[in-house]
Amino acid sequence: MKLARTVKEVKEQVREWKRQGLSVGLVPTMGYLHEGHQSLIKRAVTENDRVVVSVFVNPIQFAPNEDLETYPRDLEADCALCENTGAAMVFHPEAEEMYGDGFTTFVDMTGVTKELCGKSRPTHFRGVCTVVNKLFNIVTPDRAYFGQKDAQQLAVIRRMVRDLNMNLEVVGCPIIREADGLAKSSRNTYLSAEERKAALVLSRAVFAGEKMIRDGERDGEKVLAAMTAMIEAEPLARIDYVEMVKWDSIEICHQIDGPVLTAVAVYIGKTRLIDNFIAE
């Protein structure tokens, strides 16, 4: 497996693969890889001849008060996981390589980014769209893989690819959970033992809401009220949002008459965690 640190290295290798008629998959990550990321890499390896995993903590998607400096990093472990899972290359650039002197071009979006994480993190998706666009241009993948845990991000990237006529397929992959239900996240490492136990309230609320819809509840407000009450009963939890939106447009809705995304963002102590489910 190759570890590339420059755009030039990646482009040269991908050109060689494509000369050989090989398909290329991309798994964009911020590193500190876990089984959730590994599931994306496994899927990519089964569907492409070569797989590139980007490991880059993207500074422009963090607000000044967020955890850019403390975001967990372990490149050696990341490379071992990627190699063991079958990736052909890890792309690990420095910020200066991605955003050189005088960088002034950004990819912005309206509509799909307005609610959920876009409401509480107003500059976040501009950073996400910009870096993903750059990765698509650098790697020129046939397919790119994103997890449903970041469901709004998945919807945003799909819309960007459609709106800008990008020549690739965006593949969404299921949430991977711990044995007790907590969605896998690099930020789970921030949690103390007490907070880790309290964090289970997210998955309990998600499973409860999903069951209500599966059992026939069509009133979204009732589903959200039940989930909210469950989270509020946890003393260490502070709700950022508990919302239901149309899955295709990320517009707020309160009646379940098609595919809906029900998403939660909750602070457990100082750690912001997200979870969701899609139902109809």
Side-chain angles (χ1 to χ4, degrees):
M1 187 192 74
K2 181 180 179 66
L3 173 60
R5 296 181 183 271
T6 68
V7 171
K8 183 173 182 287
E9 287 177 273
V10 177
K11 286 188 168 185
E12 287 177 351
Q13 180 63 79
V14 171
R15 272 198 297 269
E16 177 56 32
W17 287 338
K18 296 211 167 182
R19 263 191 227 110
Q20 298 172 31
L22 303 175
S23 61
V24 178
L26 170 65
V27 182
T29 83
M30 291 208 301
Y32 212 71
L33 305 182
H34 51 65
E35 291 90 341
H37 300 107
Q38 189 173 35
S39 73
L40 305 182
I41 301 167
K42 283 180 179 176
R43 173 88 177 265
V45 166
T46 65
E47 296 179 354
N48 303 274
D49 298 311
R50 298 290 184 271
V51 172
V52 178
V53 179
S54 63
V55 173
F56 178 58
V57 181
N58 177 35
I60 68 169
Q61 71 189 63
F62 288 79
N65 62 334
E66 293 181 340
D67 59 340
L68 173 61
E69 297 305 321
T70 59
Y71 194 86
R73 295 163 169 86
D74 188 342
L75 181 62
E76 185 177 347
D78 291 345
C79 287
L81 182 147
C82 290
E83 186 165 25
N84 292 338
T85 312
M89 179 190 291
V90 168
F91 177 38
H92 178 60
E94 296 295 329
E96 293 76 17
E97 178 71 11
M98 293 295 278
Y99 306 111
D101 290 343
F103 187 89
T104 57
T105 304
F106 298 88
V107 179
D108 211 348
M109 186 183 291
T110 59
V112 187
T113 60
K114 186 176 72 172
E115 303 295 344
L116 307 181
C117 289
K119 182 180 285 187
S120 56
R121 305 178 72 192
T123 62
H124 175 67
F125 285 115
R126 184 175 85 150
V128 170
C129 288
T130 301
V131 76
V132 171
N133 199 311
K134 284 176 68 68
L135 289 169
F136 287 173
N137 288 331
I138 293 164
V139 179
T140 60
D142 298 283
R143 301 173 191 87
Y145 296 78
F146 296 85
Q148 188 196 305
K149 185 177 79 68
D150 296 291
Q152 186 177 17
Q153 173 179 274
L154 174 59
V156 164
I157 299 304
R158 280 179 169 157
R159 178 61 61 88
M160 180 180 76
V161 166
R162 190 184 82 185
D163 287 355
L164 300 183
N165 305 109
M166 295 179 170
N167 191 28
L168 75 153
E169 177 188 358
V170 176
V171 181
C173 300
I175 297 172
I176 303 299
R177 299 184 180 276
E178 303 281 0
D180 59 8
L182 184 67
K184 295 269 188 183
S185 170
S186 300
R187 288 187 170 99
N188 289 349
T189 59
Y190 296 160
L191 301 169
S192 69
E194 185 184 14
E195 289 169 342
R196 173 64 178 74
K197 187 176 178 182
L200 292 176
V201 73
L202 277 83
S203 54
R204 284 202 303 270
V206 161
F207 297 155
E210 192 171 24
K211 183 177 187 302
M212 287 177 71
I213 296 175
R214 195 168 57 243
D215 289 347
E217 182 59 66
R218 301 285 97 185
D219 186 337
E221 291 190 359
K222 289 183 180 177
V223 175
L224 295 179
M227 292 174 64
T228 299
M230 188 173 292
I231 296 169
E232 287 177 338
E234 169 52 60
L236 296 184
R238 177 168 59 86
I239 291 173
D240 183 354
Y241 64 76
V242 179
E243 292 284 9
M244 183 178 292
V245 296
K246 295 179 181 177
W247 174 222
D248 56 344
S249 62
I250 315 296
E251 295 174 298
I252 295 291
C253 63
H254 295 112
Q255 195 64 28
I256 300 152
D257 54 7
V260 296
L261 165 67
T262 305
V264 302
V266 178
Y267 286 92
I268 303 294
K270 294 181 178 179
T271 304
R272 185 179 183 274
L273 301 175
I274 58 175
D275 204 341
N276 68 77
F277 68 92
I278 298 167
E280 57 182 303

